[in-house]
Amino acid sequence: MPRPCHCRRVSALPKAAYFKPRGIPLSELAETVLPVDGLEAVRLADYQGLNMDEAAARMGVSRHTFGRLLRKAHHCVAQALIEGRALRIEGGVCALTGETNVQGEIPMSETILVAVPSDAPGGLEAVPSAHFGHCDAYTLAHVENGAVSDVRVLPNSGHEHGNCLQPVQELAAQGVRALLAGGMGMRPLNAMQAAGITVYYNAGQATVGDALKAFAEGKLQAFGTEQLCRGGCNHQH
């Protein structure tokens, strides 16, 4: 029986998750997948110049495991460059630990405008939607010191394939600082972070009200790589 794979710490998601040779349609390209933990190994060793021991400690793995991750990542990048393949960054056995992705970054004593993707008609009794971009509406509420107030519903103006950033822009314009989502791709998650919206993983809550209560009580974890969707907005073409 194979040994379980130890979860690796990753400080940030990549700013771009897909690279391809210019001028060649995707349908004509082979693809190489670089795991997120492999990219983190490249970032620490090649970009930041850390030695093996320092980099391994940052990721929470042994020196041997870090060396293996780095060798595999180098091979993925070399294969894409030499064979003219597209390079997709996704997957890996890792957890997001960057400082901008922990709940403590938003003081729960402040008044926070929170959005929950919701099924129609929205509101506290609505069912949370499984994917933020395809929801019927967003239920917005202020959360302060464990209390939920000023609940209102913002209709989803639409989410066309390949335009995952429109909902992000609309929520940011409303002043939303936290989003409670059950599913999201890498591209919109990066956009949320850039817009100053912290995303929390919401799963198993029966109603929007339950989700907001769990958030107010500090029970929801920050969205990490293990919650990323593997289709739709998770790909960048």
Side-chain angles (χ1 to χ4, degrees):
M1 185 175 181
R3 288 182 1 183
C5 197
H6 184 67
C7 192
R8 294 84 185 246
R9 295 198 295 263
V10 172
S11 62
L13 293 172
K15 296 187 180 201
Y18 209 92
F19 300 87
K20 64 178 286 294
R22 187 169 63 178
I24 304 176
L26 279 173
S27 59
E28 299 177 11
L29 287 171
E31 189 178 74
T32 295
V33 177
L34 174 64
V36 175
D37 48 1
L39 178 66
E40 180 72 356
V42 170
R43 186 184 73 83
L44 293 173
D46 299 332
Y47 183 71
Q48 290 195 347
L50 300 183
N51 63 42
M52 296 280 281
D53 292 325
E54 292 173 328
R58 290 276 190 94
M59 293 190 70
V61 299
S62 68
R63 192 177 191 275
H64 173 76
T65 297
F66 181 83
R68 180 167 50 82
L69 284 171
L70 187 60
R71 287 192 299 273
K72 286 186 175 182
H74 284 165
H75 177 76
C76 285
V77 174
Q79 184 182 49
L81 293 176
I82 293 171
E83 297 182 9
R85 292 176 172 234
L87 181 68
R88 176 157 49 95
I89 304 171
E90 72 168 20
V93 184
C94 48
L96 199 61
T97 60
E99 293 181 355
T100 59
N101 296 285
V102 294
Q103 188 157 337
E105 286 297 303
I106 299 182
M108 300 305 287
S109 59
E110 294 183 3
T111 301
I112 306 162
L113 183 59
V114 183
V116 185
S118 315
D119 289 348
L124 295 180
E125 299 303 317
V127 176
S129 178
H131 192 286
F132 94 102
H134 298 286
C135 67
D136 296 318
Y138 300 96
T139 299
L140 307 185
H142 285 102
V143 175
E144 182 180 12
N145 291 323
V148 177
S149 63
D150 301 326
V151 179
R152 59 189 175 91
V153 176
L154 176 69
N156 186 357
S157 62
H159 172 215
E160 297 179 1
H161 181 73
N163 188 24
C164 304
L165 303 188
Q166 180 179 339
V168 179
Q169 295 166 349
E170 292 179 353
L171 292 172
Q174 294 290 326
V176 170
R177 294 185 57 199
L179 180 84
L180 316 184
M184 182 176 294
M186 186 175 291
R187 185 184 181 202
L189 180 57
N190 285 339
M192 288 282 182
Q193 293 171 342
I197 300 174
T198 303
V199 183
Y200 296 88
Y201 183 53
N202 172 47
Q205 306 295 333
T207 68
V208 169
D210 291 337
L212 287 167
K213 180 181 178 182
F215 172 78
E217 294 174 351
K219 295 180 178 178
L220 300 186
Q221 65 175 335
F223 216 91
T225 54
E226 64 273 17
Q227 285 93 33
L228 286 172
C229 300
R230 289 188 172 266
C233 299
N234 198 31
H235 294 260
Q236 291 188 2
H237 299 286

